């Protein structure tokens, strides 16, 4: 089969090649990949800054895929040939609390990913792809939508009328705006672009703050929330902006620590954190059971993924470059 292979770190070392088509073992599905979507994680893996010690070489990259089952191993009962499925990043985290070794079983490193004609998914980890979405749309769900969903619902327990702050207009954040608005929350969005802030208001945000022209954006959040701060803040920026996130979150509020766009380490000012009694929770996507619940919600609320651009398989490197420049919503690569 044709597959993109990361032979060493750096986008120049991502090469189109041919490898044997994998055969499904007991309990596994062979999936003809229709489309994949890129996440910041995929770019960080190529750049060698995401758990580099876990990355096998060569690696078939990209975790998030949608496609059709074309053959099954012995004993498969959950799916049959012809079913459309999604990959699920934490392939062994199915329900409840995570185990200690979940990162060892993630697609797109260390397990082979979907940037190829075929991929293997264990039936327990596969999720039925929504009938009303194309493969390009469904491929956006496994990390970006599910992380937003888990942060807002499983962790955040957001109720109508509560306030949520969402940072930037990338993959996770756009889904977060759509899902939080559908939950009845008041969403404040930040972005480096006034144009993006206008568009994000059309998706359900009630207010927008330009974090570039308003570097002390947390003060603006306090003004918008009667001095209290938001109930829940989805932090994708990371780095030392965590202190701004604490200031922008209400007393006894919650921060979902999702990302590390500006840095993987932070110097946290403990006194404000203690006085505000903030809960900061590390988020690592979600179990598969949460994915199943999210798909019902997306269908009920008619939420459609926002795709910035779809690239053909041969232009995978251009897709990575697009993500690096910043995308509004998702960047997708079609395989067929
Ligand atoms: N822990 C998890 O489970 C999990 C899951 C998914 C993602 N993540 C992490 O979350 C982060 C976002 O992922 P993604 O895939 O959504 O990325 P993405 O699609 O590449 O989003 C990037 C966007 O983030 C915004 N941004 C950049 N710097 C910012 C800053 N300092 N403050 C606020 N916004 C900023 C920009 O939006 P504007 O152009 O509008 O400024 C940019 O376009 C990454 O670090 C990723 O690894 C973690």
């Amino acid at each position: 089969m044709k597959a993109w292979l990361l032979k060493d770190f750096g986008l120049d070392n991502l090469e189109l090649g041919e490898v044997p088509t994998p055969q499904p073992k007991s309990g596994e599905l062979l999936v003809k990949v229709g489309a994949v979507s890129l996440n910041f994680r995929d770019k960080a893996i190529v750049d060698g800054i995401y758990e580099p010690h876990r990355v096998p070489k060569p690696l078939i990259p990209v975790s998030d895929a949608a496609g059709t089952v074309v053959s099954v191993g012995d004993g498969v009962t959950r799916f049959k040939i012809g079913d459309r499925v999604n990959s699920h990043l934490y392939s062994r985290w199915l329900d409840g609390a995570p185990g200690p070794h979940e990162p060892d079983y993630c697609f797109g490193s260390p397990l082979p990913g979907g940037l190829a004609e075929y991929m293997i998914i264990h039936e327990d980890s596969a999720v039925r792809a929504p009938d009303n979405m194309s493969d390009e749309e469904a491929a956006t769900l496994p990390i970006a939508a599910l992380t937003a969903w888990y942060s807002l619902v499983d962790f955040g327990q957001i109720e109508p009328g509560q306030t949520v702050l969402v940072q930037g207009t990338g993959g996770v954040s756009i889904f977060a705006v759509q899902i939080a608005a559908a939950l009845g929350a008041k969403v404040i969005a930040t972005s480096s672009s006034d144009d993006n802030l206008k568009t994000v208001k059309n998706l359900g945000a009630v207010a927008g703050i330009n974090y570039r022209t308003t570097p002390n954006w947390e003060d603006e959040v306090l003004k918008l929330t009667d001095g209290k701060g938001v109930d829940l803040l989805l932090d994708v920026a990371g780095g030392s902006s965590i202190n701004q996130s604490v200031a922008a979150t209400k007393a006894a509020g919650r921060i979902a620590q999702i990302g590390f766009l500006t840095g993987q380490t932070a110097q946290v000012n403990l006194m404000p954190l203690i006085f505000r009694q903030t809960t900061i929770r590390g988020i690592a996507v979600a179990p598969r059971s949460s994915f199943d619940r999210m798909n019902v919600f997306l269908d009920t609320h008619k939420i459609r993924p926002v795709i910035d651009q779809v690239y053909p398989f041969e232009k995978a490197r251009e897709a990575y470059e697009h993500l690096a420049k910043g995308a509004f919503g998702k960047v997708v690569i079609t395989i067929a």
Side-chain angles (χ1 to χ4, degrees), residues 60-202:
I60 300 176
V62 186
S63 60
D64 288 7
T68 304
V69 177
V70 289
S71 100
V72 298
D74 292 341
V76 167
T77 55
R78 288 188 70 229
F79 294 97
K80 59 183 189 318
I81 291 171
D83 285 348
R84 289 178 60 246
V85 292
N86 263 129
S87 59
H88 165 57
L89 180 73
Y90 283 94
S91 68
R92 296 209 180 173
W93 187 17
L94 305 183
D95 198 10
H101 302 299
E102 307 299 0
D104 293 339
Y105 304 100
C106 285
F107 290 112
S109 179
L111 302 183
L115 197 50
E117 289 179 295
Y118 298 92
M119 76 186 289
I120 294 286
I121 304 177
H122 195 281
E123 66 161 339
D124 290 344
S125 119
V127 172
R128 195 166 295 281
D131 289 338
N132 64 344
M133 289 191 195
S134 64
D135 282 349
E136 284 73 15
E137 290 177 306
T140 66
L141 303 177
I143 290 186
L146 186 54
T147 300
W149 166 262
Y150 187 80
S151 301
L152 290 161
V153 175
D154 296 78
F155 166 61
Q157 298 176 16
I158 279 300
E159 290 175 7
Q162 289 190 312
T163 48
V164 176
L165 185 121
V166 172
Q167 296 178 324
T169 55
V172 174
S173 301
I174 291 297
F175 272 118
V177 171
Q178 293 174 289
I179 294 169
L183 289 165
K186 292 182 201 144
V187 184
I188 302 172
T190 69
S191 175
S192 57
S193 151
D194 288 339
D195 285 344
N196 286 359
L197 287 175
K198 269 187 214 145
T199 316
V200 92
K201 281 187 192 160
N202 294 333

Side-chain angles (χ1 to χ4, degrees), residues 38-44 50 89-90 143-144 146-148 151 166-174 190-193 196-197 211-212 217 235-238 241 257-262 282-286 323-331:
L38 294 185
N39 291 282
F40 187 81
R41 173 183 188 269
D42 301 308
K43 183 186 130 38
Y50 188 101
L89 180 73
Y90 283 94
I143 290 186
L146 186 54
T147 300
S151 301
V166 172
Q167 296 178 324
T169 55
V172 174
S173 301
I174 291 297
T190 69
S191 175
S192 57
S193 151
N196 286 359
L197 287 175
Y211 64 81
R212 202 151 276 163
W217 50 266
D235 192 318
V236 297
S241 72
Q257 189 59 54
I258 296 169
F260 50 89
L261 289 166
T262 68
I283 299 290
V285 193
L323 189 79
K325 276 188 289 180
F328 188 90
K330 297 296 294 176
V331 175

